[in-house]
Amino acid sequence: MNRISPVSLSHGSIGIIGGGLAGLAAACVLAARGHRVILFEKNDWLGGKAAALEEDGFRFDMGPTILTVPAILERIFAEAGQRMEDKLDLRRIDPQWRCFFDDGSVLDLHQDVPTMQAALRDYAPGTEGGYRDFIAMSENLHRISQNFFFWRSVEDIGDTLDFKKNLDLATLRDVMNLKMGSSVAREIRKKVGDKRVAQMLDHFVQYVGSSPYGSPAVLCSIAHMQTGGGVWYPMGGTRAVPVALQALAQELGVDMRLGTGVARILSNGGHVTGVQTDDGATIPLTSVVSNMDSVRTYRELVQGEPAARFARRWKREAACSGVVLYLGLDRGYDHLLHHDFVFSRDPEEEFDFIYRRGEPAPDPTCYIAATARTEPGVAPPGGEALYVLVHTPYLRPHHDWSKMLPDYRRVILDKLVRTAGLKDLESRIRFERVLTPQDIHERYRVLDGAIYGLASHGRFFGAFKPGNRSRDLAGLYLAGGAAHPGPGMPMVLMSGWIAADTLDQDVIHAAARTQALA
């Protein structure tokens, strides 16, 4: 494996490309540790996909709406000696989801495992033991991930295990428990026979925008991350998270340059030397953390041999994209919870269309966030601000969403009426905006409109993403959903922390080597 040594960094500035959640997290951690940081953001707001839409008395989170594992945010604020709870008002959501199935039945997902077992005993007798066993497996997989996968730069199995030093019986047992070669869907169905309950459990892997039939079994660990740490809503919406991080970055002295895109990462002798902005300015830097999609970072900003080496290693497809409807209603629906899943009639058909055929599913699963349940002020009195997300394929050359959208909007609305009981939906709409895969591609500079970076497909190594420390260009670090440990709010925030911590440690080690040679 071609590995480079970390560049010996001077005491110059560190650049952050992109002010999404990972970029903000990295900026805060680096600044808290004493580095001079410049953050470049091409848009006129910070937070990336965690943006907000406010109009006609309605407010919507435009991107992520489910916050889990708040301990990661706590760790980022703790870097600056601050408490997360002093900056964010988090409310626990329980039941975590309400599930609507095509047969007309409804099932709530509870955080407490015994409570959920009791609900399953009534809903699908005989599944409660399998659910308990699934959560136990998930907890064990999460423990293994904490030991070998999280909180450090990882690109492949060689970064997780030192076979010469650590191959003891306990490590061998953990490796065997990873169930490499099996899929999420297979492990779930070994334990739960009811198709509806299995379909509900499948959807934990939708946090990473991938098919449960193609994703490695280790991603079953996501379930325990949610049952163990809870589902939370920040008052003010998930937009409150980047707002709090932006305030922290300002307190720490980060130089934030909004409306400033980066056209190129500059290098000399295999080391980062700075960036060139869209207006042609050259900014000298000792290193760069890119919060831009990892593939597009190399393809558009790095180029040359480093980009070619990266492309040879990373040929994985983009994850899925999506259509988002922002619907402001004059009357709400009392039977909705804060989070709701309206499941497809056939998950195999749905995932086959999205991930194999590359076409929108004819009967999709719809996710609904009805945030007025927790924060009534998101809509006028008596109204509702519905966020509706339907996963779609990433952009293909023949996809023209300006033509596809009207028909697919009808498919989505019909599904909500038929399966979730949203009667008279069309007549209640007073405000509507839409985000398509093309919009996502252009607005956020992601790969082919993919919401979740690279797909986590591959039963052995599908969980791996490009490492946070570049193997191809010294002084370049990667953060965000298309870098380790992957997509979803907690993992993206962790990626920013890992990129910053890895860079900081490289600076310390380089300084120690320099001092030893002096």
Side-chain angles (χ1 to χ4, degrees):
M1 182 66 65
N2 180 26
R3 294 179 183 269
I4 57 175
S5 299
V7 62
S8 296
L9 301 172
S10 69
H11 296 291
S13 295
I14 295 168
I16 310 286
I17 301 175
L21 291 170
L24 284 168
C28 290
V29 172
L30 287 166
R33 296 189 185 185
H35 298 278
R36 291 199 299 272
V37 179
I38 304 173
L39 190 154
F40 304 92
E41 171 53 59
K42 73 180 183 69
N43 295 310
D44 58 3
W45 77 91
L46 293 171
K49 300 184 190 74
L53 171 63
E54 294 188 60
E55 199 168 331
D56 293 351
F58 297 97
R59 191 188 78 223
F60 307 86
D61 284 312
M62 294 192 70
T65 60
I66 299 179
L67 174 62
T68 60
V69 201
I72 297 172
L73 263 176
E74 291 175 352
R75 189 165 183 168
I76 292 167
F77 280 96
E79 290 277 352
Q82 298 194 18
R83 299 185 339 139
M84 178 196 70
E85 51 266 38
D86 294 335
K87 306 297 183 180
L88 290 166
D89 180 5
L90 300 186
R91 307 291 175 90
R92 186 187 299 272
I93 305 298
D94 196 23
Q96 297 180 331
W97 305 335
R98 174 157 287 172
C99 304
F100 297 90
F101 295 97
D102 201 58
D103 65 359
S105 64
V106 177
L107 176 65
D108 290 347
L109 176 65
H110 299 271
Q111 178 177 351
D112 180 66
V113 174
T115 301
M116 191 64 212
Q117 285 185 269
L120 288 171
R121 194 175 297 118
D122 293 335
Y123 180 79
T127 61
E128 62 271 18
Y131 176 77
R132 178 200 60 222
D133 294 344
F134 169 74
I135 293 298
M137 176 189 71
S138 175
E139 182 175 6
N140 191 42
L141 289 171
H142 183 236
R143 177 191 61 79
I144 296 169
S145 297
Q146 290 279 31
N147 289 340
F148 299 110
F149 196 70
F150 292 156
W151 300 111
R152 53 179 167 159
S153 180
V154 168
E155 183 158 323
D156 55 34
I157 197 167
D159 291 326
T160 64
L161 296 172
D162 186 328
F163 288 97
K164 292 182 179 179
K165 294 181 180 179
N166 299 328
L167 204 57
D168 55 20
L169 287 177
T171 301
L172 281 171
R173 186 163 49 247
D174 283 345
V175 170
M176 295 300 294
N177 284 336
L178 287 173
K179 301 182 183 297
M180 296 176 74
S182 188
S183 69
V184 168
R186 181 182 179 190
E187 292 305 313
I188 289 171
R189 282 155 184 78
K190 281 182 182 179
K191 293 176 170 55
V192 176
D194 187 271
K195 292 181 179 179
R196 300 162 302 176
V197 178
Q199 189 174 18
M200 177 186 73
L201 298 178
D202 280 343
H203 266 69
F204 284 112
V205 83
Q206 290 298 281
Y207 282 130
V208 298
S210 301
S211 168
Y213 297 93
S215 298
V218 68
L219 293 182
C220 290
S221 61
I222 297 171
H224 172 71
M225 293 168 67
Q226 181 163 309
T227 57
V231 169
W232 301 84
Y233 176 77
M235 296 302 287
T238 50
R239 174 67 189 160
V241 174
V243 169
L245 290 173
Q246 179 178 353
L248 178 61
Q250 289 172 327
E251 291 177 32
L252 294 169
V254 174
D255 179 357
M256 289 180 281
R257 303 185 185 183
L258 277 64
T260 304
V262 171
R264 187 180 168 205
I265 295 172
L266 305 174
S267 62
N268 183 34
H271 301 277
V272 166
T273 58
V275 297
Q276 184 181 73
T277 61
D278 286 343
D279 61 6
T282 296
I283 313 295
L285 300 165
T286 59
S287 56
V288 164
V289 177
S290 178
N291 186 197
M292 185 175 165
D293 178 275
S294 59
V295 174
R296 291 186 69 176
T297 293
Y298 279 95
R299 185 182 294 168
E300 298 173 22
L301 303 187
V302 175
Q303 302 178 340
E305 182 54 30
R309 287 198 300 267
F310 178 87
R312 284 194 291 269
R313 288 200 315 280
W314 289 99
K315 298 178 181 179
R316 196 178 299 167
E317 278 191 304
C320 69
S321 188
V323 169
V324 187
L325 305 182
Y326 308 97
L327 304 177
L329 311 184
D330 60 7
R331 286 167 292 148
Y333 290 96
D334 293 338
H335 66 289
L336 293 179
L337 294 184
H338 187 117
H339 299 297
D340 307 88
F341 280 98
V342 185
F343 283 112
S344 65
R345 67 192 175 208
D346 182 345
E348 291 191 51
E349 174 192 68
E350 177 187 13
F351 294 129
D352 180 64
F353 266 85
I354 296 172
Y355 297 105
R356 192 179 68 82
R357 302 190 193 191
E359 301 296 340
D363 186 74
T365 292
C366 305
Y367 161 70
I368 304 172
T371 52
R373 296 295 168 279
T374 307
E375 188 173 7
V378 300
E384 189 93 83
L386 292 186
Y387 167 109
V388 180
L389 167 64
V390 172
H391 283 159
T392 66
Y394 64 83
L395 284 173
R396 276 22 180 222
H398 65 281
H399 287 172
D400 183 348
W401 276 99
S402 65
K403 297 177 180 177
M404 296 163 65
L405 180 62
D407 287 343
Y408 209 56
R409 174 187 179 274
R410 173 51 49 199
V411 169
I412 295 168
L413 295 185
D414 287 349
K415 177 67 177 178
L416 296 176
V417 171
R418 186 177 71 254
T419 305
L422 303 192
K423 306 301 183 186
D424 306 316
L425 176 58
E426 194 90 47
S427 68
R428 300 190 188 195
I429 298 173
R430 294 293 176 267
F431 172 85
E432 181 173 354
R433 293 289 183 273
V434 181
L435 206 62
T436 70
Q438 187 65 47
D439 298 326
I440 293 166
H441 177 79
E442 295 169 359
R443 180 181 173 93
Y444 302 119
R445 294 182 79 174
V446 295
L447 179 65
D448 296 328
I451 302 173
Y452 308 94
L454 299 174
S456 298
H457 293 157
R459 295 186 180 188
F460 286 90
F461 304 114
F464 290 104
K465 299 291 186 292
N468 308 96
R469 178 197 289 117
S470 172
R471 293 181 175 180
D472 307 293
L473 182 61
L476 173 62
Y477 300 79
L478 303 174
H484 174 74
M489 280 190 80
M491 296 300 98
V492 163
L493 289 164
M494 187 189 291
S495 80
W497 186 94
I498 296 171
D501 179 69
T502 304
L503 192 163
D504 180 58
Q505 294 301 314
D506 287 348
V507 171
I508 292 170
H509 295 155
R513 287 195 301 271
T514 300
Q515 186 175 11
L517 293 172

